[in-house]
Amino acid sequence: MSYQYHLLDHPADIRLEVEANSLEELFLGAVEGMALILYSDFKNLKNNKKTIKQKINLSSLNQETLLIDFLNKILTLSDIERAVFPVATIQKLTDNKIEAEITGYPIERFDKEIKAVTYHQLKIEKTKEKMLKTTILFDI
Amino acid sequence: MIQKQDLIKINNYLWEIPKTFRQKMKVPARVYTSEKMLDEILKDKSLWQLVNLSCLQGISRYGLAMPDCHEGYASPIGGVAAFDLQEGIISPGICGYDINCGMKLLISSLKEEEIKPFLEQLANEIFKAVPSGLGKGRKEKFTIGEIDEILTKGAKRFLELNYLEKEDIENCEAEGCLEWADASRVSLEAKKRGQDQIGTLGSGNHFLEIQKVDKIFNKEAAEKFGLFENQVTIMIHTGSRGLGHQVATDYIRKFLGLMNKYQIKVPDKEFACVPFNSPDGQDYFTAMAAAANYAWANRAMIAYYTRLAWQKIIGQRSDLKPLYDVAHNIIKIEEYEINNKKLKLAVHRKGATRSFPPNHPEIPNKYQTIGQPVLIPGSMGTASYVLVGTFRAEESFYSTAHGSGRTMSRHQALKNVSSEELVANLKKRGIIIKSASFKGLAEEAPVAYKDIEEVIEVVHQAGLSEKVARLVPLAVIKGE
């Protein structure tokens, strides 16, 4: 997959910057980035035998709000299932709709609690290198 | 960014950004701060966000920020805005995701020296009894029907079930229940998130502390509140947990899609709002009230589990009486005089504590002659304060500060101080710390926050609330 993400400073909360070749990869990078905040060792969870799969179908106003709504939906499921969902398989993605299956792993304890994924100053932009880039603020 | 020269000094503790600063401002923006703290506030975007807040439809008098304000995600944390019920909006983002995050203070009749031999045991027992909720949580899982009861009745539900005393309800904002709450406006997902989180603290700056009264500033008020020097107290800081987060998330999403319908434009999507008096606005208002009820029930149950732990270790020598429980993230309808007319306003407090004066009808009978207890926590290991509401606070819609307020990012805090150092430092000062994970503890280090003493001095000098007592931690409990 061609995406990268990293955490940025914020006075109170956490910002996640994601860069990717395509919209789909941008979504996948954001899903993985959120998993990193919730449970930093999420990569080692992939060997777990127990997995949880959930289907998500969502409509939203536009690409940007769709991304946040998608992440919030995953966050809700994480809280209810006490699981981290670092993996998504996207079946359909348009400017305002997504159909995906997410895969998660039950955990003993979250590293950090995310109250919500916010729409604060949200933009999906094209970089000079023709990559897609966004910065997401998580309320901690 | 806003520069110091953009502000007018009204007095030593109040500064104003005039309405002329930006064409779209409906009212001036005001920040309660000392000049020293203002220099700090100007370093982040909180005043920019305050100006944005002051542009919203139907805002009354001023957009306000408290001395502990810091950058948030729409309006600043530490912000207050009151909206006209007819012309104004209601915005979940200006209440925040942690609906009715707030403080509860329990007081004992024992002095520090009387519990000292048992302090470690007591801290351990409370630590086991009150989980953070990030791990396994509580074994008790409420049914959706039971959650509906809690959303409707708030803390009063646990009085019915004999977990609480009558005094727990009397000494609580709104008696622990907003009667206009409507559980049917809360999504099933929100209720599911709330099923096993009653009686849990959450993470971040939420805590439970065993404290002692270190200093009394106002003898009369302290006596009325039942406070005396060296007295052991227990302070609880938490809110409506995942249920409240979900209510805010659901309605911000919904309102984003409705703003075209109501022809409302906002400077940031997180201000998503609708007219207060619209059916959509009322849906959120009643759902927010339900989440607020959940938060009071949550703090009440934490008090219940704390009492069990207390009885096990300390025995019957003293019980833990509730001094007060007050929200700092909430929307309430309150009456104010605006342009010589009495008007009902939707007061949005996001990181601001209500500070009602003596004789106010909404405070408990026993505090009528003295005013509402105001509970303001410090950062980890620092002092917390009990203050009392004032008449002067009318100018800030009876609002005051809610804590220290962050000045440093979590990442920066971790770079500046290690969790080991922090724990060692607390230990050196005789403060016990109980936390399931020490990994991210340094994110909450005092160095990442403003000095609570400066915050309190500003609200005291500005007359938004008056100092009654300072409490210092003996044990900090972050939950299993």
Side-chain angles (χ1 to χ4, degrees):
Chain A
M1 283 294 163
S2 189
Y3 55 74
Q4 47 183 324
Y5 54 84
H6 59 274
L7 303 178
L8 303 175
D9 265 4
H10 181 273
D13 298 311
I14 292 181
R15 291 188 303 152
L16 175 76
E17 187 180 85
V18 192
E19 219 173 310
N21 273 330
S22 66
L23 189 63
E24 180 174 339
E25 285 162 333
L26 192 79
F27 273 55
L28 298 179
V31 169
E32 202 175 294
M34 183 166 77
L36 175 75
I37 299 170
L38 289 169
Y39 192 80
S40 59
D41 200 22
F42 75 90
K43 284 186 176 155
N44 282 330
L45 290 172
K46 292 181 184 174
N47 304 322
N48 279 13
K49 281 181 189 158
K50 193 173 174 197
T51 58
I52 303 169
K53 289 192 186 289
Q54 295 268 4
K55 284 200 175 357
I56 295 178
N57 290 329
L58 270 182
S59 309
S60 193
L61 298 175
N62 53 46
Q63 277 180 5
E64 290 156 351
T65 57
L66 184 67
L67 172 61
I68 301 306
D69 294 344
F70 183 54
L71 293 175
N72 267 321
K73 187 78 183 171
I74 297 172
L75 184 64
T76 300
L77 292 167
S78 297
D79 202 21
I80 294 171
E81 303 288 344
R82 203 177 306 281
V84 178
F85 293 89
V87 183
T89 310
I90 296 177
Q91 276 105 28
K92 189 179 166 190
L93 179 63
T94 68
D95 275 355
N96 59 0
K97 277 194 177 125
I98 187 165
E99 284 177 31
E101 184 176 73
I102 56 167
T103 304
Y105 309 95
I107 53 160
E108 283 288 307
R109 183 186 166 83
F110 292 106
D111 287 348
K112 208 177 246 63
E113 194 168 53
I114 298 174
K115 288 178 186 154
V117 193
T118 78
Y119 304 93
H120 179 57
Q121 293 182 331
L122 185 68
K123 272 184 192 144
I124 297 177
E125 291 171 316
K126 260 202 175 136
T127 65
K128 279 182 199 159
E129 295 77 30
K130 295 191 176 162
M131 301 275 280
L132 290 175
K133 187 176 170 181
T134 192
T135 305
I136 303 159
L137 180 76
F138 294 85
D139 183 15
I140 301 296
Chain B
M1 288 295 277
I2 292 172
Q3 312 287 324
K4 201 165 177 179
Q5 57 263 33
D6 296 320
L7 288 107
I8 299 163
K9 186 176 179 178
I10 306 288
N11 60 46
N12 283 346
Y13 299 99
L14 181 60
W15 297 70
E16 179 176 299
I17 303 168
K19 210 176 137 183
T20 48
F21 176 77
R22 195 196 288 171
Q23 210 186 354
K24 288 183 176 170
M25 283 173 79
K26 302 275 192 300
V27 291
R30 285 186 159 192
V31 53
Y32 288 92
T33 180
S34 62
E35 189 158 5
K36 184 181 165 209
M37 291 191 86
L38 177 62
D39 292 334
E40 196 61 44
I41 290 169
L42 284 164
K43 286 180 188 165
D44 74 11
K45 291 180 190 149
S46 43
L47 293 188
W48 187 255
Q49 295 182 337
L50 182 65
V51 168
N52 284 343
L53 179 70
S54 306
C55 295
L56 296 181
Q57 186 181 310
I59 187 168
S60 192
R61 281 190 194 164
Y62 308 103
L64 294 171
M66 297 295 138
D68 52 331
C69 71
H70 64 80
E71 185 179 336
Y73 36 83
S75 58
I77 311 298
V80 180
F83 295 92
D84 184 285
L85 297 193
Q86 308 308 321
E87 308 291 326
I89 51 94
I90 183 166
S91 169
I94 313 180
C95 174
Y97 287 95
D98 198 355
I99 296 168
N100 189 2
C101 186
M103 308 304 303
K104 189 180 196 76
L105 186 65
L106 304 172
I107 52 174
S108 77
S109 58
L110 300 181
K111 289 190 169 184
E112 184 200 5
E113 48 270 31
E114 293 174 273
I115 70 146
K116 212 161 191 180
F118 314 104
L119 187 61
E120 181 79 39
Q121 269 178 288
L122 180 63
N124 273 330
E125 201 60 33
I126 296 176
F127 176 64
K128 280 191 276 174
V130 184
S132 67
L134 270 74
K136 283 174 188 157
R138 299 220 79 93
K139 282 179 194 148
E140 301 90 340
K141 194 168 178 174
F142 290 89
T143 64
I144 296 295
E146 285 164 339
I147 292 292
D148 281 340
E149 289 273 340
I150 293 166
L151 294 176
T152 308
K153 296 176 183 169
K156 284 180 178 169
R157 177 61 184 150
F158 291 122
L159 180 68
E160 285 177 354
L161 297 172
N162 293 324
Y163 287 98
L164 311 175
E165 299 293 329
K166 224 172 140 197
E167 219 180 343
D168 286 302
I169 300 303
E170 287 165 358
N171 292 350
C172 183
E173 177 177 344
E175 297 194 332
C177 173
L178 299 177
E179 282 169 4
W180 68 88
D182 184 349
S184 75
R185 300 295 156 208
V186 174
S187 69
L188 181 61
E189 279 180 339
K191 290 173 189 175
K192 281 186 177 172
R193 289 180 76 169
Q195 280 183 287
D196 63 353
Q197 292 187 343
I198 283 279
T200 65
L201 278 172
S203 67
N205 59 359
H206 292 168
F207 67 81
L208 186 152
E209 271 184 10
I210 306 171
Q211 309 166 321
K212 72 163 178 180
V213 177
D214 168 59
K215 196 173 179 184
I216 300 278
F217 300 93
N218 176 337
K219 276 187 183 164
E220 192 195 350
E223 204 171 300
K224 211 62 177 172
F225 292 167
L227 293 169
F228 54 87
E229 276 191 10
N230 281 325
Q231 176 186 21
V232 175
T233 64
I234 291 190
M235 184 173 260
I236 298 160
H237 177 201
T238 187
S240 51
R241 311 284 293 106
L243 183 141
H245 310 163
Q246 190 66 42
V247 169
T249 298
D250 290 342
Y251 280 92
I252 291 172
R253 179 171 184 229
K254 186 179 173 193
F255 288 2
L256 271 177
L258 287 172
M259 283 197 298
N260 267 349
K261 173 181 154 188
Y262 291 111
Q263 296 179 312
I264 295 174
K265 282 193 175 150
V266 291
D268 188 302
K269 285 190 177 76
E270 283 292 313
F271 278 120
C273 55
V274 297
F276 179 86
N277 264 344
S278 63
D280 297 304
Q282 288 305 296
D283 281 353
Y284 167 66
F285 190 47
T286 53
M288 186 272 327
N293 286 350
Y294 182 94
W296 277 309
N298 184 32
R299 289 197 288 274
M301 282 309 275
I302 290 175
Y304 166 75
Y305 289 113
T306 303
R307 283 176 179 139
L308 290 185
W310 176 272
Q311 275 159 20
K312 191 170 168 189
I313 305 301
I314 307 294
Q316 299 300 318
R317 282 171 297 159
S318 164
D319 50 8
L320 292 169
K321 297 269 184 204
L323 190 148
Y324 203 54
D325 182 315
V326 64
H328 50 231
N329 286 0
I330 201 159
I331 304 172
K332 301 283 278 288
I333 296 179
E334 292 167 12
E335 195 174 76
Y336 291 93
E337 202 172 294
I338 308 289
N339 301 328
N340 300 319
K341 264 204 283 188
K342 282 198 170 169
L343 275 184
K344 287 203 160 117
L345 303 174
V347 182
H348 292 51
R349 294 189 181 92
K350 183 185 189 181
T353 313
R354 199 188 66 176
S355 178
F356 277 157
N359 309 325
H360 196 285
E362 283 193 47
I363 62 175
N365 276 339
K366 67 186 280 194
Y367 303 137
Q368 276 293 319
T369 56
I370 202 83
Q372 177 213 302
V374 168
L375 310 173
I376 305 184
S379 55
M380 191 190 294
T382 67
S384 296
Y385 276 82
V386 179
L387 302 94
V388 64
T390 61
F391 291 107
R392 172 104 187 257
E394 200 273 346
E395 68 178 54
S396 63
F397 300 109
Y398 292 122
S399 305
T400 186
H402 85 306
S404 292
R406 284 196 84 97
T407 53
M408 192 185 277
S409 73
R410 290 163 196 280
H411 179 66
Q412 202 61 39
L414 288 172
K415 268 169 75 177
N416 271 270
V417 54
S418 73
S419 294
E420 291 75 18
E421 264 177 85
L422 176 67
V423 173
N425 186 270
L426 291 172
K427 214 173 163 185
K428 217 159 69 185
R429 291 165 48 212
I431 302 169
I432 295 168
I433 171 102
K434 299 284 169 194
S435 177
S437 162
F438 286 87
K439 209 160 126 191
L441 210 58
E443 290 182 8
E444 296 300 322
V447 67
Y449 284 83
K450 295 177 192 180
D451 183 350
I452 187 70
E453 306 295 338
E454 288 184 25
V455 171
I456 297 298
E457 207 46 39
V458 170
V459 294
H460 179 81
Q461 295 295 343
L464 304 187
S465 45
E466 280 171 14
K467 288 190 279 187
V468 175
R470 184 170 66 193
L471 315 173
V472 294
L474 302 173
V476 181
I477 293 154
K478 300 292 282 182
E480 205 164 21

